[in-house]
Amino acid sequence: LRHETHFVGEQKTLVEAFALYDSMSRVRVPRVYPALCTSRITAMSEERGEKVTEAVARMPAWRRGQVAERLIEALIAVPLFASQESALFHADPHAGNLFYDNQTGKLIILDWALTERLSRQQRRHLALLVLMVGLRDPVGAASEIQALSQGGAARHDSKQARIIRETVAGFFERLPLRRVPGAVDAMRLLQQTAAKGIRFTSSLIMLSKVLFTLDGVIADIRGSGMSMAYTFARHGLQNWLTSGSKAGLPLTFRDLMKVQCSAMLCSGRLSIKL
């Protein structure tokens, strides 16, 4: 509630968010008018549209899929691949804060009172965690969770490291073979680890809430089973092709080699399970 009523803070966030999404032609953030703002009033542009889950009800399936991909790109991929050292993300993406204008075809992201930030290193380890979970690599996933935890430099034989390894092993043991795990599964794994007493920063806990909330909105729009990984990869590749060295790719060359090695061993891990 304190965040929701901090008008000056939200005004500053709106200005930053407007700049972050200004280059996305199909996404809009309300424009703030500083000359009309006070500590108790936020003056911004009027945004027309309706709640996204209601706006797509009259659309064919292929258009609903496009809107769902735009939501994933705007709310997750853009912050993940941001060029800034500290990336801003919307922390309350329920359908009431997401409008869609059928006349212009634009997605409007409202209510920026609740936000969080992720550092470049956090985004790097998160990207690797999602990839390692997708590749069903328990060693790699445990390593990234250890790096994301508070006390990430703990020894391999420490109690914290042992809890993480056991939790990750149990998670993969219960994961159905036919299921292709993705970002939401990675967040579930983080939550299970946190339930065992491993501590994470508030921004990571908030991000898991964002992904679960967004996953529900996506299911209402497109149906269950839509993976976020493809949209992440496509946005990252487009970002790299258009921005080159200025692209906010969180992974290093060494990280990419680690992922490649894990991918080569993925079929072996699956065959052992069969």
Side-chain angles (χ1 to χ4, degrees), residues 3-4 6-22 28-34 37-38 41-47 88-90 97 108-115 117:
H3 287 291
E4 292 285 351
H6 187 197
F7 297 111
V8 174
E10 185 179 11
Q11 290 158 20
K12 293 178 180 178
T13 303
L14 275 165
V15 171
E16 184 177 353
F18 184 87
L20 181 64
Y21 291 96
D22 190 39
R28 192 165 68 234
V29 171
R31 181 187 291 273
V32 174
Y33 300 108
C37 292
T38 71
I41 297 174
T42 296
M44 67 181 79
S45 57
E46 179 183 6
E47 302 298 337
L88 176 78
F89 68 89
H90 194 295
N97 285 338
I108 304 121
I109 307 175
L110 305 171
D111 192 357
W112 287 82
L114 190 59
T115 59
R117 293 180 180 275

Side-chain angles (χ1 to χ4, degrees), residues 31-189:
R31 181 187 291 273
V32 174
Y33 300 108
L36 302 176
C37 292
T38 71
S39 60
R40 300 181 64 180
I41 297 174
T42 296
M44 67 181 79
S45 57
E46 179 183 6
E47 302 298 337
R48 299 183 182 276
E50 57 183 322
K51 192 160 67 169
V52 66
T53 48
E54 297 174 358
V56 302
R58 301 176 293 276
M59 294 181 183
W62 65 271
R63 281 198 64 197
R64 292 200 300 271
Q66 287 183 338
V67 174
E69 286 192 356
R70 197 176 309 160
L71 280 169
I72 297 169
E73 183 178 14
L75 293 165
I76 305 297
V78 167
L80 185 65
F81 293 104
S83 59
Q84 296 89 341
E85 179 61 35
S86 178
L88 176 78
F89 68 89
H90 194 295
D92 196 18
H94 60 79
N97 285 338
L98 305 171
F99 272 29
Y100 188 84
D101 187 341
N102 273 304
Q103 290 187 342
T104 64
K106 290 190 176 184
L107 172 71
I108 304 121
I109 307 175
L110 305 171
D111 192 357
W112 287 82
L114 190 59
T115 59
E116 274 290 353
R117 293 180 180 275
L118 290 171
S119 69
R120 185 179 297 275
Q121 282 303 308
Q122 285 177 314
R123 285 178 279 145
R124 171 179 169 244
H125 290 300
L126 275 170
L128 283 170
L129 174 61
V130 172
L131 290 169
M132 293 302 173
V133 168
L135 293 169
R136 293 175 177 264
D137 185 340
V139 175
S143 175
E144 299 312 319
I145 292 175
Q146 182 72 55
L148 288 166
S149 67
Q150 292 185 342
R155 300 191 318 274
H156 180 75
D157 59 348
S158 69
K159 180 181 178 181
Q160 175 172 311
R162 187 174 68 254
I163 291 172
I164 292 174
R165 289 196 302 272
E166 291 173 353
T167 306
V168 171
F171 174 83
F172 282 115
E173 189 67 31
R174 294 186 296 272
L175 195 64
L177 281 176
R178 292 185 178 181
R179 181 170 176 175
V180 179
V184 174
D185 294 290
M187 291 301 104
R188 287 197 179 97
L189 179 53

